[in-house]
Amino acid sequence: MRSLFFSLLGYFLTPFGILVMGALDSSMVFFLPLGIDFVVIIMTARKPELFWLYAMLATLGSMIGSAGTFWTGKKVG
């Protein structure tokens, strides 16, 4: 069980993982309070010179997730 948790956490601790986590966090499917915040903080602590990239990826992921939720709501009516 512990290795499963660390493998999932390790997946989200990549630039693509930040994008996916941001999209999932702002969608109707998945909600983890402060999840994206902690991922961005950990990634920034590891490589401070890329702080701007992590914030942009989290924002882009959030916009993708919100757009998907908006599109679903528009289709449903």
Side-chain angles (χ1 to χ4, degrees), residues 1-9:
M1 183 69 169
R2 186 174 180 176
S3 63
L4 175 68
F5 175 73
F6 283 124
S7 66
L8 286 175
L9 183 61

Side-chain angles (χ1 to χ4, degrees), residues 17-52:
I18 291 175
L19 187 71
V20 171
M21 181 85 162
L24 287 174
D25 191 45
S26 65
S27 70
M28 296 181 300
V29 179
F30 178 78
F31 177 71
L32 181 64
L34 299 175
I36 190 68
D37 300 326
F38 288 134
V39 169
V40 170
I41 289 168
I42 291 170
M43 291 293 290
T44 302
R46 286 183 176 178
K47 290 190 177 181
E49 64 273 3
L50 295 176
F51 73 93
W52 58 272

